[in-house]
Amino acid sequence: MSKQKVGMSTGAIALSNRVADKLIGEASGDAALLFLYLLRQGGDYDPYAAAKALRWTGERVADAFSELEKLELVKGPVVDTAPAVSAKDAPRYSAEMIRQEKDVPSSRFPGLLDEVERKLGNKLNYQNMQILMELYDYLALPAEVILLLVSHMIDEAAYRKGPGVKPKMWEIKREGYRWAAKGLDNLDAATAYVKKMDYFRTNEGRVLAMVGINGRTATDREKTYINAWLDMGFEDGVIQMAYERTLFKVQNWNWNYCNGILKSWHKDGLHTLNDILDAEQRRTPRANRQQPAQNGGKAQQTATAAAQMDDILWIQKFMQKHQGEFSSNGTGGK
């Protein structure tokens, strides 16, 4: 089909050639759409508003934003995966409304309140009862799901802040809205999610050690990366190899650069050290077999092949250096 000229609407947002080339080269429609949204907002960025405007989940916004960071088209923190749904439309529960709910014979709220107070170790004041009613009535989370949510938040608080530390009700509310947005509104889905989060928490320290961090828990930003890497299912040692390659390439530790390496391997289905080495070895002979039409192409091809060979040698040295270190370890995964 021949090239055609199309009419463009007036008042369109203009992109520089450099930015357009980056977005086209990435071939990520989500990244391009989020970038257009950010331009339309004049650079003002609210991830929740973006998710609502684009009709995306919080996770999808976070992934698109990460792509824009990798392209160096935006600068900012990793987007929190809190839901796009807002609490501002929630009713304000009066003390009388709460009392009436407690007096309904068929209501599960009284038993839920007693059990939440037992788990948290104190009586809930009026403001905290409002939060519990909001989860129970407005978000319509089943009582057993709310109890699982509270238990999960208690475990998180103990891990992040120390034994015996209990979460605040506003923290439980914030996580409750995340659960509602993720569709964790039944016991089976919520239980599966908590098991997954427990796995991430259990392995967090191990992954931190792989990237040279010891003696502390992960920040929220770091936890976002770590959970994603564990979910991708890499063999032990692959993350450490990505860490060492990051240091080799950029001369310092960079979470986003390492994340780019691992996402690229995951996209290609490479999750073990041998998978990565085999893939690199297959690429180089193929590049060498191609016959360039021009000298410039030949020079470029030679440089590409040399770079690929460097990668192979680097991986081989890494595996020799860590021979036997990861052979007895399990693989990360879901």
Side-chain angles (χ1 to χ4, degrees):
M1 183 176 181
S2 62
K3 182 170 63 175
Q4 299 180 11
K5 190 74 173 179
V6 298
M8 300 293 291
S9 62
T10 60
I13 296 174
L15 295 176
S16 69
N17 290 336
R18 181 186 68 84
V19 171
D21 288 344
K22 280 191 173 185
L23 290 172
I24 293 170
E26 184 65 15
S28 171
D30 281 0
L33 190 56
L34 180 59
F35 189 78
L36 288 177
Y37 170 82
L38 293 174
L39 284 180
R40 185 67 181 84
Q41 300 301 314
D44 293 335
Y45 180 48
D46 180 341
Y48 311 144
K52 185 174 182 180
L54 298 170
R55 295 188 289 276
W56 291 354
T57 63
E59 288 87 347
R60 188 173 175 184
V61 173
D63 287 343
F65 193 86
S66 179
E67 293 295 330
L68 292 176
E69 279 190 312
K70 186 173 67 175
L71 294 173
E72 299 182 345
L73 295 179
V74 297
K75 292 182 180 179
V78 172
V79 179
D80 186 14
T81 56
V85 292
S86 172
K88 64 183 180 181
D89 296 326
R92 182 172 177 81
Y93 295 95
S94 66
E96 178 61 20
M97 293 170 68
I98 294 174
R99 185 193 66 76
Q100 290 176 356
E101 182 64 34
K102 291 169 71 174
D103 289 342
V104 175
S106 60
S107 175
R108 301 186 65 187
F109 184 76
L112 173 64
L113 174 60
D114 289 343
E115 188 62 19
V116 169
E117 289 179 336
R118 186 188 69 78
K119 286 180 176 293
L120 295 178
N122 56 60
K123 291 286 185 180
L124 298 189
N125 59 26
Y126 166 58
Q127 288 78 14
N128 288 336
M129 283 188 191
Q130 282 183 310
I131 291 175
L132 190 60
M133 271 292 289
E134 192 172 331
L135 296 174
Y136 176 78
D137 183 68
Y138 177 61
L139 289 184
L141 293 177
E144 58 269 21
V145 171
I146 296 175
L147 289 176
L148 186 60
L149 166 67
V150 172
S151 296
H152 170 67
M153 292 300 292
I154 290 172
D155 291 342
E156 276 288 303
Y159 176 73
R160 303 286 166 194
K161 302 174 183 178
V165 177
K166 298 296 176 67
K168 305 296 184 183
M169 280 300 294
W170 65 264
E171 295 175 314
I172 294 173
K173 171 183 172 179
R174 182 180 62 186
E175 187 67 13
Y177 271 81
R178 290 186 176 127
W179 282 31
K182 291 175 181 290
L184 306 177
D185 53 3
N186 63 82
L187 191 57
D188 288 342
T191 299
Y193 176 78
V194 168
K195 287 181 179 179
K196 189 174 187 178
M197 293 301 104
D198 287 345
Y199 171 79
F200 290 161
R201 189 192 315 123
T202 301
N203 290 277
E204 177 184 295
R206 180 170 58 86
V207 176
L208 280 175
M210 289 180 187
V211 298
I213 298 174
N214 295 281
R216 65 169 177 82
T217 60
T219 65
D220 287 343
R221 176 187 173 92
E222 293 167 347
K223 188 168 69 170
T224 301
Y225 284 122
I226 291 170
N227 291 357
W229 299 348
L230 289 170
D231 205 30
M232 290 177 192
F234 290 111
E235 177 186 75
D236 283 359
V238 171
I239 295 175
Q240 185 171 347
M241 183 168 70
Y243 161 71
E244 294 190 12
R245 177 170 285 193
T246 298
L247 296 183
F248 177 77
K249 294 287 187 179
V250 300
Q251 305 305 307
N252 57 57
W253 172 231
N254 184 299
W255 282 94
N256 198 47
Y257 190 93
C258 187
N259 185 56
I261 294 174
L262 291 169
K263 285 181 68 175
S264 175
W265 288 340
H266 177 65
K267 182 179 179 181
D268 292 339
L270 309 175
H271 298 95
T272 71
L273 297 173
N274 286 330
D275 285 345
I276 296 166
L277 180 58
D278 289 345
E280 294 290 350
Q281 288 176 327
R282 285 195 301 271
R283 287 191 189 117
T284 298
R286 184 166 60 249
N288 287 336
R289 285 197 301 268
Q290 294 173 350
Q291 296 299 321
Q294 300 176 355
N295 290 335
K298 183 176 182 179
Q300 178 63 40
Q301 186 182 59
T302 301
T304 300
Q308 290 172 338
M309 184 57 68
D310 285 343
D311 285 342
I312 293 174
L313 293 174
W314 188 92
I315 295 172
Q316 288 175 332
K317 288 179 181 178
F318 175 88
M319 296 183 72
Q320 291 171 358
K321 175 182 176 182
H322 297 279
Q323 189 174 10
E325 185 175 338
F326 307 113
S327 59
S328 61
N329 292 337
T331 60
K334 298 180 182 179

